[in-house]
Amino acid sequence: MLKKLVLTGAAGRLGSRLRAPLSALCETLVSTDIVESIEGLASNETYVAADLADLAAMTQLLKDADMVVHFGAIGDEAPWEQIHSANIMGAYNVWEAAYQNGVRRVVYASSIHAVGMHPKSECIGTDAPHRPDTFYGLAKCFAEDLGSLYWDKRGIEAVCMRIYSCAEVANPRAVGSWLSYDDLIQLVTRAIDTPVTGFAVVYGISDNDRAPVDNSKAQFLGYRPKDNAEQFAEKIFAEHPPLDPQNPADMCHGGPFATVELGNSGVARLGLKD
Amino acid sequence: MLKKLVLTGAAGRLGSRLRAPLSALCETLVSTDIVESIEGLASNETYVAADLADLAAMTQLLKDADMVVHFGAIGDEAPWEQIHSANIMGAYNVWEAAYQNGVRRVVYASSIHAVGMHPKSECIGTDAPHRPDTFYGLAKCFAEDLGSLYWDKRGIEAVCMRIYSCAEVANPRAVGSWLSYDDLIQLVTRAIDTPVTGFAVVYGISDNDRAPVDNSKAQFLGYRPKDNAEQFAEKIFAEHPPLDPQNPADMCHGGPFATVELGNSGVARLGLKD
Amino acid sequence: MLKKLVLTGAAGRLGSRLRAPLSALCETLVSTDIVESIEGLASNETYVAADLADLAAMTQLLKDADMVVHFGAIGDEAPWEQIHSANIMGAYNVWEAAYQNGVRRVVYASSIHAVGMHPKSECIGTDAPHRPDTFYGLAKCFAEDLGSLYWDKRGIEAVCMRIYSCAEVANPRAVGSWLSYDDLIQLVTRAIDTPVTGFAVVYGISDNDRAPVDNSKAQFLGYRPKDNAEQFAEKIFAEHPPLDPQNPADMCHGGPFATVELGNSGVARLGLKD
Amino acid sequence: MLKKLVLTGAAGRLGSRLRAPLSALCETLVSTDIVESIEGLASNETYVAADLADLAAMTQLLKDADMVVHFGAIGDEAPWEQIHSANIMGAYNVWEAAYQNGVRRVVYASSIHAVGMHPKSECIGTDAPHRPDTFYGLAKCFAEDLGSLYWDKRGIEAVCMRIYSCAEVANPRAVGSWLSYDDLIQLVTRAIDTPVTGFAVVYGISDNDRAPVDNSKAQFLGYRPKDNAEQFAEKIFAEHPPLDPQNPADMCHGGPFATVELGNSGVARLGLKD
Amino acid sequence: MLKKLVLTGAAGRLGSRLRAPLSALCETLVSTDIVESIEGLASNETYVAADLADLAAMTQLLKDADMVVHFGAIGDEAPWEQIHSANIMGAYNVWEAAYQNGVRRVVYASSIHAVGMHPKSECIGTDAPHRPDTFYGLAKCFAEDLGSLYWDKRGIEAVCMRIYSCAEVANPRAVGSWLSYDDLIQLVTRAIDTPVTGFAVVYGISDNDRAPVDNSKAQFLGYRPKDNAEQFAEKIFAEHPPLDPQNPADMCHGGPFATVELGNSGVARLGLKD
Amino acid sequence: MLKKLVLTGAAGRLGSRLRAPLSALCETLVSTDIVESIEGLASNETYVAADLADLAAMTQLLKDADMVVHFGAIGDEAPWEQIHSANIMGAYNVWEAAYQNGVRRVVYASSIHAVGMHPKSECIGTDAPHRPDTFYGLAKCFAEDLGSLYWDKRGIEAVCMRIYSCAEVANPRAVGSWLSYDDLIQLVTRAIDTPVTGFAVVYGISDNDRAPVDNSKAQFLGYRPKDNAEQFAEKIFAEHPPLDPQNPADMCHGGPFATVELGNSGVARLGLKD
């Protein structure tokens, strides 16, 4: 059992669901986020309000920690300045603080949006090249490369979980991309309890019949999702109009984030990369 | 012929060698760097001192440009804060300014250090996954992913030239990794005159017998280097002690940048990733 | 729910089993074949006798259709002239009629025989190169390439189902290659209800323990077969003599179709391609 | 030296250039085409007018031949009916006649258009999957698969030369895609004199700096082109407006053949396959 | 049903568990090992004491056999001389005796140690290149290549089962690497009853959540393990200290066998191959 | 410059040609072979008669050596007992002696016959899986795996040169497979002077137009052959009858060594592996 575990983004939509299960994996759970306080602390849980952009605070927070579960970030596409500050600087601060404190492993909430511009008809493995669909995805690419650097040079392990759609199944895309909360918890648990991981990438997705990504290269992590969004397929498909295979928002892994923007010329530009 | 071409980093070691050849490819060359002025302007060359970290300045500079050749950055490993400001923010500003101005293509000075932790006995192609060896290399990874994003979403082309060792051949590593100045000029020229490029990656290396990287997947760019560092091999090898195959600094593409740091535990940590 | 669905080959061995399940997926099912009439029409099913070789008839038939499920063809090896007329011209007519009518997707009964000359000890994915074993298989290759063309140039989606052995399990090969009728129905249903498919290839095979093909690259289609021919293995193996690993008919995916013919020289010729 | 060699398409643009060099490789050259006669017969050359669509005529023509060099076909995109008759039926007739006569090898003029929808920024090897850009390209795919079948089942060797742009260098695309006539002759010569070939695919392209395809997997054929279209680059680029990276006609291997057609809906459809 | 089956290593830890199940697959089971006698013979089982290093004895033993299940060998790392005699010479003798007697197939107990130096974070398939971790593993590499030779040149089939950890789950590594005895029996049974195998490689591992190897390329053999070591994970992890990701013994497939030895220089040498 | 270099097989056909060039690369060259003496010693060359099968002698011989160039072996197919003794035991003794003496690198004369059963129409890279064609080739596979083991576990570098046909060009196969003596010398020189190699594999073949193997993954070694057997092609082809594409001896890399043997059944067995 771990002595001390730190959870960033503990007040967030996903982070808040992780507090209870993480508290069972360690002697002390330190939860942190930008808000002043959170409710319902476990008996072995402490909350520390801190700003990810503050390296000194992060370094203080990770003192004597065994691992850090890093979910703190802006969780949606946002202007570059915001992404840059919270998601890029925040990631740097977490890894650097981990290094300063001899923390063993960073368990990181990466995202499908790091590879969101790949067409969904192309089943991507965990070694798919980066192809971000937004600034949000770009920051995930950055943090994965940061984790690779700290592993190769400084020996900090990293498990980058490319979370797909961890929310209610509300549209046709999610029938393939859903990650249930239970499966999220299993995934994070495995990322923590696997004895050695080195630098690893794994998709955070449930056992959906239509899951368009392939975790076989990361199977040593032992993630075996239990839920399946196929139960919602018929209802969801009936409620939604047909999708458009020419529209990246419908055809690419990134979904709406993959929508191609109007360029200066006013002409829609569909990428042919690959 | 291009109407307007912008060169960043024009006062730098490599940038300054590009000014003359680039001025021959366009009606107007706008050279820029952080220094106040540079000497020896070509007849169609203008110099504008500007800070890469200043988006407004960049946007002004790229007005009506056809392409931008982006060499401006800190050219060595440096503390994160410096790399972050010049190399990461600078890259964002260049691409965003290009987009705001409808610039067609960014020709980017990426680096071998984006993939520097791969062992040299493993010949890497242009599709090798990122494996940075320094903050410097990490920023190159970031800019490549940024270029991918702006191509997929906004149709800005990018040629990312992973420059290897563009300097005098002074050590055994450079016998394999040398990029002569003439070949650099050819490479940049091809990155500009190739009619369409989409998002492309290419290694900047001369036709060395011992070149440890493979450009065959980028051959549509037509880069055919002419120089070969083998001419220096005998002398260089005679002057240097044997290398150590257990030392990443000798065995990895990144050379000295790949030196593994002491971790908190005081034990050297050699990465086993891959 | 689809407004209009067209099923070709509706009187055939497989097509006739699809009529009922397809009628449940659409407002109107138009079944067609070369025979004068078929029995047991569903309440929303119409039968139209038509010759696949007649483009005008096909064009008329597909009017206002959303999708066409194309099972009409000679279902066995046959002289070139027959394969050419029914399977090659027929496929062209179906895709061209689909294009003329703005039909969204062709769901196509391709076959393992498009890749039948690959050895079975080599597990092939959906991206295995064509390696037909007969004229029958060659026509399947043609139709797949036709589907690729109509998708790339004209935006018609295609799901090419490489059906393996959809029949009773009666020999050792079928213990690996069986496709149960229930799984066939699931496969066709998924090929229809998947929101976007682009151009996709998938093997039609049950969840046999010994299934020698790999659908993982097509998993976004959500095909999860339920049946398993292993239940028949013991009995079948006991009833049949040992197979011959030097005989392509026993060793290749195509089974008896892969039997090498005598050449002019009277000497058996075993291919070494690959 | 071969006893008898047959050349189809001998009156065509490329075929007519092959007559003299082929006549030097055999005791008897039989040239054939649809026209009544051709001029300038070599001393060991016979001309026989024949229709590729006539199997009996082809069978008669290939009597006692060692090899057939098959260049006869419609050499451009054409309506399906024409492509079907000359290029598909013609190919079948040539291979079947070769089989009936125990001909050893078919040297076939395939085309880049069999794979023309791949983006040019993706350097394709000889094992790139079929991705035709026209009916013309589709017929080339068919003939390649036909050659594969006759090799695997009947032991007839085949060398499929995917000819790129064998014509004057008149546009930016051709600076990469040119095949000089001299190199064409070398390629055909090697396809004939290589002792064993089995079933092989090779690109017909000169040693252009910007050649976007890779023959390394076919190097046992010994094709080493000598010409290089880079000599024309500067002039050609100066004379033509910039290309459009969003336009498949500019970005894909197939060039103008890859132009995406308007669909029924009146909306341009850019393919995202892959 | 097979007429005669030979089992080598019948007195060994694994071999002794195979006797009963194998006796059910054949009319006559001949068990052999170096010891004088074994107990509990099945009604159709004969025991013959023989030395694997004795070719004549092996040839006599395999007379009229249909298949041989070769488990006889030193089952642990040992000095080269011992490995050489029992594991290398023994393997040669078994295959040569099989050839002399027209035996159809060798079912061989290979080992994970043939590829033990691959990092576990890299999921290896059955086509992973050899990378032995010990003399023991090196002998397994040799026998696999021997099996390849006898198949290619002499038509003897071979199934090389790379057994992982067939023993009680007693350490963190085994939570991923366990092969239960029941699954071993299934695996050997499938290696025997699969109608044709040619030369095949398959990992012997249970259906562990954390199984770090991939059998998908060998799925035509139909091996579907039923057991899962995850049931032991919590207890095992609780009882053991954390592993060290920098230690090949913890990070590589071979486990303790992968421990790097001290070289002459007294400095630990971590391999960077790959 | 190396202090001491040891050459085994110094009296052999290839070894004898290496003595002079190797003597120029070191202060002391120790040549060894089984014969009593050799002639024409260089001024810094010593000859020691020794048996490769004698570990103590080898250990003595390699004392204080920097590198060993291991060419000593039976150079042709031979009965297993002979191959086993000279080629397998000999290789073990050389590597073990190297380890005992802290020798830095073994430069090893491997052979194309380690992969000789691959069809020649399949261009193999240096990572092609072992597929030996003879006991001779099998011993080369063993030594390569031995080199891998000593590198991974004990840090001894190895360059395995898979020599193709280092002899006069006397048959059609050699037009593709020739290695000139000059190129052999270059190859061995590069295997010695490359600063770090780790474990590397490279084909020993000249710059033949028809070279059927690909060294691109080993290009960091800097081997750039200068000779080209195409100069002999016309004469050789004219003198020899056509080859048979169905005959492994004509179609496979191993040439005559790949001839398939008659099995017990008296039926020719062509392997379908792959």
Side-chain angles (χ1 to χ4, degrees), chain E residues 11-26:
Chain E
R13 195 168 58 80
L14 301 188
S16 59
R17 290 177 184 267
L18 294 175
R19 289 168 48 209
L22 290 183
S23 71
L25 295 175
C26 55

Side-chain angles (χ1 to χ4, degrees), chain F residues 88-161:
Chain F
I88 287 187
M89 291 302 298
Y92 168 76
N93 288 340
V94 166
W95 257 277
E96 180 62 22
Y99 174 61
Q100 294 300 338
N101 285 289
V103 169
R104 178 173 183 180
R105 186 183 299 168
V106 180
V107 174
Y108 176 58
S110 186
S111 162
I112 188 68
H113 298 294
V115 291
M117 292 309 293
H118 288 282
K120 209 151 64 177
S121 57
E122 186 183 303
C123 181
I124 51 178
T126 53
D127 54 354
H130 285 159
R131 203 170 164 182
D133 53 24
T134 44
F135 291 134
Y136 174 78
L138 178 64
K140 298 300 186 187
C141 294
F142 169 81
E144 291 189 356
D145 289 337
L146 182 73
S148 170
L149 175 66
Y150 273 76
W151 163 245
D152 274 337
K153 293 294 290 293
R154 295 174 162 180
I156 313 290
E157 292 189 315
V159 179
C160 299
M161 306 173 299

Side-chain angles (χ1 to χ4, degrees), chain E residues 8 52 55 58-59 62 68-72 86-110 139-152 154-161 198-201, chain F residues 80 135 138 264:
Chain E
T8 74
L52 288 167
L55 174 57
M58 286 300 119
T59 305
L62 267 60
V68 53
V69 177
H70 180 37
F71 271 68
N87 296 20
I88 287 188
M89 290 304 298
Y92 167 76
N93 288 341
V94 166
W95 258 277
E96 179 64 21
Y99 174 60
Q100 293 302 335
N101 286 290
V103 169
R104 177 174 185 178
R105 187 183 297 168
V106 180
V107 174
Y108 176 59
S110 186
K140 298 299 187 188
C141 295
F142 168 81
E144 291 189 357
D145 288 338
L146 182 75
S148 171
L149 175 64
Y150 273 76
W151 162 245
D152 273 337
R154 296 174 161 178
I156 311 292
E157 294 188 313
V159 179
C160 300
M161 305 173 299
F199 175 80
V201 173
Chain F
W80 163 251
F135 291 134
L138 178 64
N264 266 42

Side-chain angles (χ1 to χ4, degrees), chain F residues 55-112:
Chain F
L55 174 57
M58 286 299 117
T59 306
Q60 177 64 23
L61 206 61
L62 267 58
K63 195 157 187 297
D64 297 328
D66 296 292
M67 295 189 189
V68 53
V69 177
H70 179 37
F71 271 68
I74 295 175
D76 201 348
E77 178 59 337
W80 163 251
E81 291 69 25
Q82 297 175 29
I83 292 289
H84 166 258
S85 168
N87 296 21
I88 287 187
M89 291 302 298
Y92 168 76
N93 288 340
V94 166
W95 257 277
E96 180 62 22
Y99 174 61
Q100 294 300 338
N101 285 289
V103 169
R104 178 173 183 180
R105 186 183 299 168
V106 180
V107 174
Y108 176 58
S110 186
S111 162
I112 188 68

Side-chain angles (χ1 to χ4, degrees), chain A residues 80-81 84 88-89 92 96 99-102 117 130-135 138 141-142 145-146 148-156 199 257-264 269 271-273, chain B residues 80-81 84 88-89 92 96 99-102 117 130-135 138 141-142 145-146 148-156 199 257-264 269 271-273:
Chain A
W80 163 251
E81 291 69 26
H84 165 258
I88 287 186
M89 291 304 297
Y92 168 77
E96 180 63 21
Y99 173 62
Q100 294 300 338
N101 286 290
M117 292 308 293
H130 286 159
R131 203 170 166 182
D133 55 24
T134 45
F135 292 134
L138 179 64
C141 295
F142 169 82
D145 288 337
L146 181 74
S148 170
L149 175 66
Y150 273 76
W151 161 245
D152 273 337
K153 296 293 291 292
R154 296 175 162 179
I156 312 291
F199 174 80
F257 281 33
T259 302
V260 170
E261 299 176 17
L262 290 186
N264 267 41
R269 301 181 155 193
L272 271 171
K273 204 183 76 167
Chain B
W80 163 252
E81 292 68 24
H84 166 259
I88 287 186
M89 290 304 297
Y92 168 76
E96 181 63 21
Y99 174 60
Q100 294 301 336
N101 284 289
M117 292 309 291
H130 285 158
R131 202 168 166 184
D133 54 24
T134 45
F135 292 135
L138 178 64
C141 295
F142 169 81
D145 288 338
L146 182 73
S148 170
L149 174 65
Y150 273 76
W151 161 245
D152 273 338
K153 295 292 292 291
R154 295 174 163 180
I156 313 290
F199 175 80
F257 281 33
T259 303
V260 169
E261 301 174 17
L262 290 187
N264 266 42
R269 300 180 157 192
L272 270 170
K273 202 185 77 168

